[in-house]
Amino acid sequence: MVWTPALTKRFLDRARRHRLYAQYHLIAFRGLRRGESCGLRWADLDLTQGTAAIWWQITQIGTDTFEDKPKTAAGEATISLDSATIKELRAHKARQNTERLAAGDAWTETGYVFTTPTGEPVDPNDVTEQFEQLSMEAGLPPVRLHDLRHGAATFLLAAGYDMKVVQETLRLSSIAIASDIYTSVLPQLARQSAEDAAAIVLNAVPHPPRQPGGNATGRQT
């Protein structure tokens, strides 16, 4: 199940008050996997150029966490960031600096983008639990955190981009995988495109008919 754009916005509006809002924003807008967002470092970001290099992920098994490479070779890539996401990441960096000052000697400098209040990388399971809590508080139908990633792909398709763009943005190993996962949403999008095309005609303002030997207002020329 994937939330509609309106439901996704409702979640983000609720999550905005949380200290890790930028992490959920990044997943929803750019389709990072949970572990990839947890493994992101400030050194991987270029907020001036608007890019994020995805080189690592943090995986959690039980209570143990470890860092490794992304799920597939295709997962290692540099993605573009939209202006709204860049703005949120800048705000998050300022918030993290405030937490660093408040923590004092208790702060551990790890270089991660998303951390605990003392600088340690966040546990992926904690990110999921907080997502579920925020979703419930927003009164939303239950979905997995991973479904925010699927939502990002669906929104790209709805915006008119093809499967190749979805494959590259989500860093899937092949376009066939993108098609296998997201073909189910295409009939709905095709119906919407038909409605949009029909609306161009139905909502058009007709011009006055031309009179024989005159212009559209009936005056002789």
Side-chain angles (χ1 to χ4, degrees):
M1 181 177 176
V2 176
W3 283 334
T4 64
L7 293 179
T8 301
K9 186 175 186 302
R10 190 200 300 180
F11 167 76
L12 292 174
D13 287 345
R14 174 63 189 87
R16 183 171 291 280
R17 289 172 278 175
H18 192 270
R19 56 181 298 278
L20 294 179
Y21 167 76
Q23 186 168 14
Y24 297 118
H25 181 107
L26 183 62
I27 295 171
F29 277 63
R30 294 283 75 197
L32 269 67
R33 298 177 177 90
R34 179 186 72 168
E36 293 168 347
S37 69
C38 292
L40 195 64
R41 290 182 169 89
W42 287 114
D44 302 328
L45 296 178
D46 185 335
L47 298 183
T48 300
Q49 296 298 320
T51 61
I54 312 301
W55 303 127
W56 302 97
Q57 67 174 355
I58 293 179
T59 303
Q60 183 164 3
I61 300 178
T63 59
D64 296 326
T65 61
F66 56 93
E67 187 179 66
D68 58 4
K69 291 292 187 178
K71 185 177 179 181
T72 65
E76 297 182 43
T78 298
I79 63 171
S80 296
L81 302 174
D82 59 278
S83 58
T85 299
I86 293 171
K87 177 182 177 181
E88 296 302 337
L89 287 168
R90 290 188 188 279
H92 176 75
K93 189 170 188 177
R95 186 181 303 111
Q96 189 181 76
N97 287 336
T98 299
E99 291 183 339
R100 180 186 291 107
L101 292 174
D105 292 340
W107 181 267
T108 300
E109 186 55 60
T110 59
Y112 286 99
V113 175
F114 304 112
T115 64
T116 68
T118 56
E120 299 289 347
V122 292
D123 286 351
N125 285 355
D126 290 344
V127 177
T128 295
E129 290 176 7
Q130 187 61 60
F131 167 77
E132 293 170 350
Q133 178 66 31
L134 292 168
S135 300
M136 182 181 67
E137 292 173 1
L140 291 164
V143 299
R144 303 171 303 164
L145 175 58
H146 193 73
D147 291 327
L148 284 187
R149 172 175 163 83
H150 291 319
T154 303
F155 303 152
L156 281 171
L157 293 170
Y161 293 94
D162 60 23
M163 284 292 183
K164 184 62 177 176
V165 175
V166 171
Q167 177 202 351
E168 292 175 351
T169 301
L170 272 66
R171 294 155 291 109
L172 298 168
S173 58
S174 74
I175 196 168
I177 292 176
S179 298
D180 287 345
I181 296 173
Y182 300 111
T183 295
S184 61
V185 307
L186 291 180
Q188 176 184 352
L189 298 179
R191 172 61 183 273
Q192 186 60 50
S193 68
E195 297 289 354
D196 292 343
I200 292 175
V201 177
L202 297 175
N203 296 331
V205 177
H207 294 289
R210 287 184 174 274
Q211 300 297 323
N215 59 20
T217 62
R219 294 167 58 187
Q220 295 296 317
T221 57

